[in-house]
Amino acid sequence: MQQQSKDPLHGKTLQVILEELLAQFGWEELDKRIRINCFHDNPSIQSSLKFLRKTPWARKKVEDLYIAYCVK
């Protein structure tokens, strides 16, 4: 019998997490909830992914928001 991971982010890529947050909130609301320039100044999936992959504190904020609002 296989054990399932208790990690709510298990199997989710950063891109999927960001796309689901965008579907729920949009760029403007994401910028209000997490104040980082990649959500404010000419936002795009690719530029946000590039920044979030290099910046652990920002990625943590995105993951925490995802857990709070998108994980059921």
Side-chain angles (χ1 to χ4, degrees), residues 21-36 39-40 43 65 69:
L21 286 171
L22 276 173
Q24 181 153 347
F25 298 114
W27 288 116
E28 189 173 324
E29 186 63 24
L30 275 178
D31 179 45
K32 288 178 186 174
R33 291 174 182 263
I34 305 172
R35 300 296 297 183
I36 52 179
F39 292 164
H40 178 73
L65 183 66
Y69 289 95

Side-chain angles (χ1 to χ4, degrees), residues 6 12 45 49 58-59:
K6 294 184 185 213
K12 297 279 186 176
I45 294 277
L49 288 173
R59 181 180 181 140

Side-chain angles (χ1 to χ4, degrees), residues 5-71:
S5 175
K6 294 184 185 213
D7 180 5
L9 300 175
H10 180 75
K12 297 279 186 176
T13 64
L14 185 56
Q15 183 169 350
V16 168
I17 291 169
L18 186 56
E19 288 171 349
E20 288 186 30
L21 286 171
L22 276 173
Q24 181 153 347
F25 298 114
W27 288 116
E28 189 173 324
E29 186 63 24
L30 275 178
D31 179 45
K32 288 178 186 174
R33 291 174 182 263
I34 305 172
R35 300 296 297 183
I36 52 179
N37 281 340
C38 66
F39 292 164
H40 178 73
D41 187 28
N42 197 19
S44 73
I45 294 277
Q46 291 307 315
S47 67
S48 296
L49 288 173
K50 185 175 180 179
F51 176 76
L52 293 170
R53 287 179 179 134
K54 294 188 304 186
T55 316
W57 64 264
R59 181 180 181 140
K60 173 92 169 90
K61 287 185 176 213
V62 168
E63 290 172 345
D64 289 347
L65 183 66
Y66 178 79
I67 290 168
Y69 289 95
C70 296
V71 174

